[in-house]
C-alpha cells in the first residue's frame, strides 16, 4: 500500500508512446519502484491490473497535500473490490488524455472539486473494471458471470468454490467490451471508501525520496533563474548580459517574452547569483505609482450606494426596509492582498526540440499546463507532453501556468537541452496571483421587537474571474465574488432575512488576482459572521440565539452550528479569562462551523486554547484525511488572519520572503477538534471550506474578550498577535 | 573543489566556497530530499544536521561545512530501518504535501537527541519550521510518540 508514486513509469510510457526520443529521457527520471510494468493490461482508463495482482489506479486530479490521490483511489478501489494493500496510483498525462479524447475528464484541481465532481465517473470506472474481471473469470470457467462474486481482488464462483485472482484474468478482461452504465454501491455498504485509511503517499515524504518539480533531474539539464518586472504590466527596457556572461557556469541570458529576463547556468545557484548581479532596466509602465493606499481609496469609493454595482443576491426591499427601520447598525470591513506562499516555489522543467516539447511541473491544472506548452512551444498538441510532479503546495497558485510558459520560452533558446526554471522565494512573492482585495459596507435594520428586517451588503473590490476567466462573467458580473452570500448554489447564505441586498462594485487594480485556498468565502465569512455578531450585541441578543432565529430554513447550516456549540459547551460559561466566538458558513458545497476559545493578554496577545470545527460534506470518503484538512485549514486561515498581507508600493508588492510575510508555527497551533458529520444526499468539498470560519470565530471571541471589534485583516497591523 | 562528508560518505565537489550548503547538497552532491523554501533561514525546509545540530543549510556556506558530519533526510534511516521519527511520522500520517517535512523531521531528530522527552513547551521552542498545509497537530502527536518509542 505504501508503494507509491513519484513520476510513475507507466504513466511515462503512456505519454512517451508517440515518440522513441522521449523514452530514454523519461527513464532517466528517478522512480521509486522500478517494475517492468509497461505490459500490464489496462482494464479501462482507470484501472491497470498487473500479474502480481497489484492494481494501479489512475488519478487525473493533482495531489498537493489535500489527500485527493488517496480519496479518489478509495472510490475506485471500493467499486473494483480489490485488495487495498496492493493499490498503487499513477497520473495519466495530459497529452495522453488529449490523444484519447479525455477518458479521465477534467484534470483541474481546485475549488475543492477533486472528489465532489468526479466521484460518480471514477466509481463507474472501478465498477466497470470489476465487471470485466468477473466476466473474464466466468468465461474461463464457462459459467454465467452472475454466479460469480468479487472481493479483495479474488473472483469466486460461488457454487463450485473455484477462485482466481484479478492478476490472472486481467489480460482476458482487458479485451472485453466495457459495460455501458455499471451500477454503483450504496455508500452505506462501503468497505474501503468512507474509512479513515492512511494516505498512499506518506512514506516517500518522510525519507526524501518523493520528487517534486524542484527535484526533477534530466541528463544534460541546465538551470534557470528568472526576474520579471516587479511592477505588474511593466516590461524589460534593457539588460547588460555582458556583465554576467563570464561568471562561472553561466550559459545564457535570455529575454523571456517582453517582461522578464532569465539566466541559464549549469546550476541554479550559479544562475540565481548571476541574475542578482545582472543590471536590468525596467519600463515600469502605467502602474508605477500605485500604492495600497490608492487602491484602498478607490475601493472605499465603491462602498457608496450611488456607485454602480452588480447585484448578487436580493429579496424584498432592503433599502426601503432600512429607511423604515427602528434601529440600524452599520460597519465597514476590509480584506487585503495575500500570497499563496506554497512551500515549494514555482518551477517547471522544459525540453524543446523542433519535433517535441516536454514539460515536467507541479500543476493543479494539467490540461492548462499542456495547453500552455502547446501555445508557448509553437508545436502542435501531438508533439507536446506534460508530466505532472508532486506539488509542494498549490492553494490555487499552481492552477496558473505562467511559469510553464516561461520555462518553455527559455528552453526554446536551447533546443535539445532540458532547462529547469526555479523561482526564488522573492520572485514567488513578487509574481503572485494574489488573493484579491475587497471592502464591504454592511447595514442591518431592526424593527421595534429587535428582529432583523433588512440586511444590506455592498462589496467593493477585485474580481478574480475578470482577470483569469472573463468568459465566466455573467454580463460582466462575477458571481464568485458573492461566495457564501448567494441565494442558492454551493456557497449559499445560511440566513433568511426578509429584505436583503448584496451587490458588488467591481474595481480591478493592476495587481493580478488568483484563486486562493478558500478565496472569496474567506473575506465574506468574516464580513457576514462578524457583522452578525455586531448585530446581536447591538440589540442585546445572545449571538447564537440571534443566528438561530434567522436559520430556520437552513437546517444543514444550523446542524453544524449546533454541533460546535454543543461540543464547546456554549450554554455553560467558559473558564475564567476564556472567551468564546462562533461562526458558520457554506462553502464549496459543504457546511462548516467553528467555535473558538481564546484568552487575551494586554488586549493584544491572543492565545487560542481550542477550536472546534464541524463539517458536513455530504459524504466522507476518508474521515481521517478530512480531519487533517480541517486542522490544516485553521493554520492557513489563522496565518491569513494574523499575518497575511501583501502591500503595494511603487506598483509592486513590498513583501519578499517569510521574514516580511509570516506564517504560523507549531507554537501557535491551537488544539483542534474536528467533527465530521456527513448527512448524505450531496457531495461537498473539504480542502477549503473550514478556512473561512477560522477568522470570524476568533474575531468574535476577541470582541467578547476585549470589547474591541476588529474589522480588517491582518491583526499584525493593529499590533495584535499570538500570545 | 572541496570535500563534504554527507551521510557518512565523502563527496569531492566543484563548488564556490560561499555557495549555500543547501545548494551544494542538492546540485553538487545530488541529494534533493533537502528542500529550498526561503533561502534566508526562516522556514526550515532545508534543515540538516551538522555535527548533530539542526542547521538551516541555506544559511551556511559549503566551505563552513568542510570537515563536519552532515546528515540529510536520506541518511536518517539505518539501512532498511527507518528512524523512529520517520516511523512516527508514518504512523500518524503527518505529511500533507510533504515538501517541508524533510526539514521538520530533521529538526525533530535533533530535538529528541538533546531532549529525549520534550514537553509541549520544548517542542514549541525548538520546532519553528513553516508548514503551509498545517500539519502541526499531527506533527506534535508524532513527536511525543517518537519520544516514547
Amino acid at each position: 500500500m505504501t508503494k507509491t508514486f513519484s513520476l510513475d513509469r507507466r504513466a511515462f510510457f503512456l505519454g512517451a508512446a508517440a515518440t522513441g526520443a522521449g523514452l530514454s529521457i523519461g527513464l532517466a527520471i528517478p522512480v521509486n519502484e522500478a517494475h517492468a510494468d509497461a505490459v500490464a493490461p489496462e482494464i479501462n482508463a482507470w484501472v491497470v491490473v498487473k500479474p502480481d495482482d497489484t492494481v494501479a489506479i489512475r488519478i487525473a486530479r493533482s495531489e498537493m497535500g489535500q489527500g485527493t490521490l488517496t480519496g479518489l483511489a478509495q472510490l475506485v478501489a471500493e467499486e473494483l473490490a480489490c485488495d487495498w494493500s496492493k493499490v498503487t496510483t499513477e497520473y495519466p498525462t495530459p497529452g495522453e488524455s488529449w490523444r484519447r479524447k479525455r477518458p479521465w475528464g477534467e484534470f483541474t484541481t481546485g475549488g475543492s472539486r477533486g472528489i465532489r465532481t468526479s466521484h460518480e465517473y471514477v466509481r463507474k470506472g472501478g465498477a466497470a473494471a470489476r465487471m470485466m474481471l468477473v466476466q473474464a473469470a466466468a468465461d474461463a470457467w464457462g459459467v454465467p458471470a452472475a454466479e460469480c462474486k468479487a472481493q479483495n481482488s479474488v473472483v469466486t464462483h460461488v457454487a463450485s468454490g473455484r477462485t482466481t485472482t484479478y492478476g490472472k484474468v486481467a489480460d482476458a478482461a482487458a479485451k472485453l467490451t466495457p459495460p455501458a452504465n455499471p451500477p454503483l454501491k450504496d455508500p452505506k455498504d462501503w468497505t474501503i471508501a468512507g474509512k479513515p485509511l492512511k494516505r498512499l503517499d506518506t512514506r516517500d515524504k518522510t525519507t526524501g525520496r518523493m520528487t517534486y518539480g524542484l527535484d526533477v533531474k534530466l541528463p544534460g539539464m541546465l538551470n534557470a533563474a528568472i526576474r520579471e518586472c516587479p511592477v505588474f504590466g511593466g516590461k524589460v527596457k534593457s539588460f547588460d548580459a555582458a556583465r554576467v556572461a563570464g561568471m562561472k557556469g553561466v550559459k545564457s541570458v535570455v529575454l523571456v517574452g517582453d517582461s522578464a529576463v532569465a539566466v541559464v547556468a549549469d546550476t541554479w545557484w550559479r544562475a540565481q547569483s548571476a541574475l542578482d548581479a545582472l543590471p536590468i532596466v525596467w519600463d515600469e509602465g502605467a502602474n508605477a505609482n500605485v500604492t495600497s493606499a490608492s487602491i484602498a481609496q478607490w475601493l472605499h469609493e465603491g462602498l457608496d450606494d450611488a456607485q454602480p454595482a452588480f447585484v448578487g443576491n436580493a429579496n424584498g426591499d432592503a433599502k426601503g426596509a432600512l429607511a423604515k427601520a427602528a434601529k440600524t447598525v452599520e460597519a465597514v470591513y476590509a480584506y487585503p492582498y495575500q500570497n499563496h506562499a506554497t512551500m515549494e516555489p514555482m518551477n517547471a522543467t522544459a525540453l524543446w526540440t523542433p519535433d517535441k516539447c516536454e514539460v515536467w511541473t507541479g500543476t493543479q491544472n494539467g490540461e492548462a499546463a499542456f495547453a500552455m506548452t502547446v501555445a508557448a512551444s509553437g508545436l502542435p498538441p501531438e508533439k507536446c507532453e506534460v508530466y505532472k510532479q508532486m506539488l509542494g503546495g498549490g492553494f490555487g497558485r499552481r492552477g496558473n501556468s505562467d511559469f510553464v510558459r516561461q520555462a518553455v520560452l527559455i528552453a526554446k533558446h536551447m533546443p535539445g537541452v532540458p532547462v529547469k526554471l526555479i523561482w526564488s522565494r522573492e520572485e514567488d512573492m513578487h509574481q503572485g496571483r494574489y488573493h484579491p482585495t475587497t471592502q464591504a459596507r454592511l447595514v442591518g435594520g431592526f424593527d421595534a421587537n429587535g428582529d432583523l428586517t433588512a440586511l444590506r451588503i455592498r462589496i467593493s473590490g477585485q474580481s478574480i474571474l475578470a482577470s483569469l476567466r472573463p468568459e465566466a462573467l455573467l454580463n460582466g458580473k462575477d458571481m464568485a465574488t458573492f461566495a457564501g452570500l448567494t441565494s442558492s448554489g454551493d456557497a449559499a447564505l445560511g440566513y433568511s432575512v426578509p429584505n436583503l441586498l448584496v451587490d458588488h462594485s467591481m474595481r480591478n487594480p493592476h495587481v493580478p488576482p488568483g484563486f486562493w485556498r478558500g478565496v472569496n468565502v474567506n473575506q465574506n465569512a468574516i464580513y457576514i459572521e462578524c457583522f452578525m455578531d455586531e448585530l446581536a450585541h447591538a440589540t442585546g441578543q445572545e449571538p447564537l440565539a440571534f443566528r438561530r432565529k434567522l436559520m430556520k430554513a437552513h437546517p444543514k447550516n444550523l446542524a453544524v452550528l449546533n454541533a460546535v456549540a454543543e461540543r464547546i459547551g456554549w450554554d455553560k460559561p467558559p473558564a475564567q479569562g476564556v472567551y468564546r466566538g462562533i461562526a458558520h458558513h457554506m462553502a464549496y458545497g459543504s457546511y462548516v462551523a467553528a467555535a473558538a476559545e481564546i484568552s487575551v493578554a494586554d488586549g493584544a496577545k491572543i492565545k487560542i486554547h481550542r477550536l472546534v470545527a464541524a463539517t458536513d460534506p455530504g459524504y466522507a470518503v476518508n474521515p481521517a484525511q478530512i480531519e487533517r484538512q480541517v486542522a490544516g485549514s485553521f493554520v492557513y486561515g489563522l496565518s491569513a488572519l494574523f499575518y497575511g498581507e501583501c502591500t503595494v508600493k511603487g506598483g509592486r508588492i513590498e513583501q519578499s520572503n517569510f521574514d516580511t510575510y509570516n506564517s504560523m508555527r507549531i507554537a501557535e497551533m491551537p488544539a483542534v477538534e474536528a467533527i465530521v458529520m456527513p448527512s448524505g444526499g450531496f457531495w461537498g468539498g473539504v480542502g477549503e471550506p473550514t478556512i473561512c470560519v477560522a477568522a470570524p470565530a476568533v474575531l468574535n471571541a476577541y470582541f467578547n474578550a476585549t470589547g474591541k471589534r476588529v474589522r480588517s485583516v491582518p491583526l499584525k497591523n493593529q499590533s495584535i498577535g499570538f500570545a | 573543489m572541496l570535500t563534504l562528508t554527507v551521510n557518512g560518505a565523502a563527496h569531492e565537489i566543484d563548488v564556490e566556497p560561499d555557495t549555500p550548503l543547501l545548494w551544494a547538497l542538492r546540485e553538487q552532491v545530488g541529494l534533493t530530499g533537502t528542500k529550498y523554501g526561503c533561502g534566508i533561514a526562516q522556514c526550515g525546509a532545508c534543515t540538516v544536521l551538522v555535527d548533530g545540530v539542526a542547521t538551516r543549510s541555506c544559511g551556511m556556506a559549503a566551505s563552513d561545512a568542510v570537515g563536519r558530519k552532515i546528515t540529510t533526510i536520506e541518511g536518517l534511516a539505518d539501512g532498511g530501518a527507518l528512524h523512529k521519527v520517520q516511523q512516527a511520522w508514518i504512523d500518524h500520517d503527518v505529511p500533507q504535501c510533504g515538501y517541508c517535512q524533510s526539514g521538520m523531521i530533521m529538526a525533530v531528530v535533533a530535538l529528541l537527541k538533546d531532549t529525549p522527552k520534550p514537553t509541549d513547551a520544548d517542542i514549541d521552542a525548538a520546532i519553528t519550521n513553516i508548514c503551509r498545509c498545517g500539519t502541526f497537530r499531527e506533527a506534535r502527536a508524532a513527536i511525543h510518540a517518537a519520544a516514547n518509542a
Side-chain angles (χ1 to χ4, degrees):
Chain A
M1 185 171 95
T2 55
K3 182 182 70 177
T4 59
F5 151 101
S6 62
L7 180 72
D8 185 275
R9 190 169 175 177
R10 181 177 174 86
F12 181 79
F13 274 112
L14 289 171
T19 152
L23 197 58
S24 60
I25 290 156
L27 291 175
I29 292 175
V31 292
N32 293 337
E33 303 290 339
H35 292 295
D37 56 7
V39 295
E42 175 184 299
I43 309 301
N44 60 19
W46 300 98
V47 175
V48 176
V49 177
K50 299 170 189 178
D52 64 357
D53 289 333
T54 308
V55 171
I57 293 174
R58 303 261 177 72
I59 306 292
R61 312 284 177 154
S62 299
E63 178 59 49
M64 50 187 168
Q66 83 280 40
T68 206
L69 186 83
T70 304
L72 287 167
Q74 284 178 264
L75 289 170
V76 175
E78 178 65 54
E79 297 292 342
L80 183 59
C82 67
D83 180 348
W84 179 250
S85 71
K86 292 181 177 170
V87 166
T88 62
T89 57
E90 60 187 35
Y91 283 155
T93 63
E96 182 71 5
S97 176
W98 181 82
R99 286 186 285 278
R100 292 175 61 173
K101 304 191 191 310
R102 303 185 84 215
W104 299 283
E106 270 193 58
F107 281 51
T108 316
T109 313
S112 295
R113 284 191 297 266
I115 285 173
R116 68 186 172 113
T117 64
S118 62
H119 63 88
E120 185 166 345
Y121 60 76
V122 304
R123 285 189 291 155
K124 285 184 174 172
R130 184 198 70 243
M131 291 171 69
M132 293 160 75
L133 290 157
V134 169
Q135 184 68 53
D139 291 349
W141 292 324
V143 302
E147 293 182 4
C148 301
K149 64 171 190 181
Q151 191 177 4
N152 222 28
S153 295
V154 174
V155 185
T156 303
H157 179 233
V158 178
S160 66
R162 281 176 291 186
T163 64
T164 189
T165 68
Y166 282 5
K168 294 194 177 94
V169 296
D171 276 322
K175 297 184 178 82
L176 298 174
T177 303
N181 198 18
L184 297 178
K185 283 186 182 177
D186 188 317
K188 72 178 167 47
D189 298 324
W190 283 350
T191 61
I192 297 172
K195 303 303 174 195
L197 302 182
K198 294 279 184 67
R199 296 174 63 108
L200 290 169
D201 53 353
T202 296
R203 186 185 176 94
D204 286 353
K205 290 177 174 176
T206 67
T207 61
R209 293 182 76 186
M210 181 62 75
T211 53
Y212 300 80
L214 198 90
D215 306 325
V216 167
K217 289 178 200 164
L218 297 169
M221 185 177 78
L222 298 177
N223 289 270
I226 196 164
R227 184 161 298 144
E228 184 156 24
C229 183
V231 180
F232 308 106
K235 296 179 180 2
V236 176
K237 188 181 280 178
S238 65
F239 58 95
D240 186 1
R243 289 275 289 277
V244 302
M247 289 178 71
K248 185 166 184 180
V250 170
K251 306 291 184 185
S252 184
V253 182
V254 179
L255 177 66
V256 183
D258 60 4
S259 62
V261 181
V263 175
V264 182
D266 54 355
T267 69
W268 184 78
W269 181 252
R270 286 169 180 154
Q272 182 66 38
S273 299
L275 181 66
D276 288 340
L278 178 69
I280 305 173
V281 180
W282 306 108
D283 170 6
E284 296 186 344
N287 302 308
N289 295 317
V290 176
T291 65
S292 285
S294 69
I295 293 171
Q297 175 62 30
W298 188 36
L299 264 55
H300 193 77
E301 290 164 9
L303 298 178
D304 185 339
D305 256 345
Q307 294 292 315
F310 297 106
V311 175
N313 192 1
N315 56 256
D317 173 16
K319 288 178 181 172
L322 284 172
K324 289 186 291 190
K327 177 183 178 73
T328 61
V329 177
E330 178 171 339
V332 172
Y333 284 74
Y335 200 90
Y337 285 118
Q338 294 173 328
N339 193 298
H340 303 79
T342 62
M343 289 307 295
E344 180 195 19
M346 298 303 111
N347 64 81
T349 301
L351 170 58
W352 189 92
T353 71
D355 296 319
K356 177 93 177 164
C357 184
E358 295 168 286
V359 167
W360 294 257
T361 193
T363 172
Q364 290 176 244
N365 193 340
E367 292 180 300
F370 180 74
M372 183 63 88
T373 300
V374 171
S377 69
L379 296 172
E382 58 269 25
K383 293 187 173 180
C384 294
E385 189 53 284
V386 171
Y387 310 109
K388 298 199 304 176
Q389 308 295 303
M390 180 60 71
L391 282 68
F395 312 126
R397 180 62 182 90
R398 286 191 158 93
N400 303 280
S401 302
D402 45 334
F403 45 92
V404 172
R405 171 179 167 272
Q406 293 175 343
V408 172
L409 292 178
I410 295 165
K412 279 178 84 170
H413 283 270
M414 17 196 68
V417 178
V419 180
K420 177 160 68 178
L421 169 68
I422 302 174
W423 287 15
S424 66
R425 173 60 60 192
E426 289 76 12
E427 186 71 5
D428 199 274
M429 283 284 173
H430 291 155
Q431 298 298 335
R433 297 291 179 269
Y434 302 88
H435 184 300
T437 180
T438 67
Q439 298 179 14
R441 183 168 58 86
L442 301 96
V443 189
F446 291 89
D447 64 18
N449 298 322
D451 286 328
L452 186 69
T453 55
L455 178 61
R456 165 93 179 88
I457 303 175
R458 161 61 65 87
I459 297 168
S460 175
Q462 194 156 9
S463 156
I464 301 172
L465 295 183
S467 172
L468 289 187
R469 294 185 57 210
E471 74 281 4
L473 297 172
L474 302 172
N475 295 320
K477 174 163 63 177
D478 178 354
M479 279 306 292
T481 303
F482 302 103
L485 304 173
T486 55
S487 60
S488 61
D490 69 4
L493 178 65
Y495 298 110
S496 297
V497 182
N499 300 285
L500 175 75
L501 174 60
V502 186
D503 59 9
H504 174 215
S505 174
M506 188 188 292
R507 282 151 199 261
N508 296 323
H510 77 297
V511 176
F515 296 102
W516 201 92
R517 195 176 182 189
V519 76
N520 288 309
V521 292
N522 294 2
Q523 71 271 14
N524 288 345
I526 292 174
Y527 300 162
I528 185 73
E529 282 303 282
C530 289
F531 191 62
M532 279 290 166
D533 242 52
E534 294 203 51
L535 293 175
H537 286 289
T539 52
Q541 304 186 63
E542 196 283 311
L544 176 60
F546 173 70
R547 285 179 172 82
R548 284 174 171 158
K549 282 200 294 185
L550 303 170
M551 295 176 70
K552 288 173 183 144
H554 307 275
K556 290 186 189 299
N557 307 67
L558 186 60
V560 290
L561 183 63
N562 285 339
V564 296
E566 182 182 347
R567 175 69 69 86
I568 208 149
W570 192 266
D571 58 353
K572 300 180 213 63
Q576 182 74 25
V578 173
Y579 299 87
R580 291 186 184 134
I582 203 163
H584 73 98
H585 215 60
M586 184 188 185
Y588 303 96
S590 290
Y591 301 86
V592 291
E597 284 191 342
I598 72 169
S599 57
V600 182
D602 306 327
K605 293 293 173 198
I606 298 177
K607 170 74 178 173
I608 305 173
H609 300 281
R610 190 179 171 211
L611 279 170
V612 175
T615 304
D616 178 2
Y619 295 97
V621 172
N622 188 321
Q625 303 312 327
I626 294 173
E627 279 201 29
R628 282 162 176 75
Q629 287 306 298
V630 168
S633 289
F634 282 128
V635 175
Y636 211 71
L638 294 176
S639 291
L641 171 65
F642 279 79
Y643 298 129
E645 181 183 39
C646 293
T647 53
V648 181
K649 187 176 180 185
R652 69 196 77 198
I653 296 298
E654 291 189 279
Q655 290 69 26
S656 58
N657 208 316
F658 287 119
D659 56 344
T660 44
Y661 190 82
N662 203 355
S663 191
M664 268 174 74
R665 317 297 163 107
I666 199 169
E668 298 154 347
M669 180 74 193
V672 172
E673 299 164 48
I675 304 167
V676 182
M677 42 187 289
S679 61
F682 64 98
W683 288 76
V686 300
E688 297 171 89
T690 301
I691 293 168
C692 73
V693 287
V698 170
L699 289 171
N700 290 337
Y702 182 80
F703 174 80
N704 285 331
T706 65
K708 282 196 287 186
R709 184 61 67 178
V710 177
R711 300 190 183 89
S712 68
V713 171
L715 295 179
K716 74 180 174 79
N717 289 353
Q718 309 188 43
S719 300
I720 300 170
F722 287 103
Chain B
M1 299 293 276
L2 52 79
T3 301
L4 295 180
T5 304
V6 185
N7 303 330
H11 296 264
E12 194 181 356
I13 56 175
D14 173 21
V15 71
E16 294 78 84
D18 62 350
T19 298
L21 176 60
L22 165 66
W23 291 101
L25 289 170
R26 289 183 56 86
E27 302 201 292
Q28 273 84 16
V29 179
L31 295 174
T32 55
T34 305
K35 303 304 186 195
Y36 166 62
C38 69
I40 58 168
Q42 285 283 316
C43 77
C46 66
T47 303
V48 300
L49 304 184
V50 178
D51 289 338
V53 177
T55 303
R56 294 188 172 176
S57 62
C58 71
M60 171 181 262
S63 56
D64 289 340
V66 172
R68 304 171 78 173
K69 279 176 55 181
I70 300 157
T71 307
T72 71
I73 187 76
E74 292 92 342
L76 204 52
D78 181 9
L82 294 178
H83 189 281
K84 67 179 181 180
V85 175
Q86 293 172 309
Q87 189 59 52
W89 242 243
I90 291 170
D91 294 343
H92 288 77
D93 229 4
V94 177
Q96 291 188 26
C97 90
Y99 189 84
C100 75
Q101 301 284 308
S102 297
M104 205 187 309
I105 288 169
M106 298 310 287
V108 171
V109 168
L111 167 65
L112 295 186
K113 192 165 78 55
D114 298 336
T115 310
K117 303 280 183 194
T119 63
D120 279 337
D122 293 331
I123 293 169
D124 290 347
I127 307 303
T128 57
N129 303 58
I130 294 177
C131 171
R132 293 287 285 166
C133 295
T135 60
F136 299 133
R137 186 178 78 148
E138 287 70 32
R140 186 186 297 279
I143 294 168
H144 287 304
N148 292 311

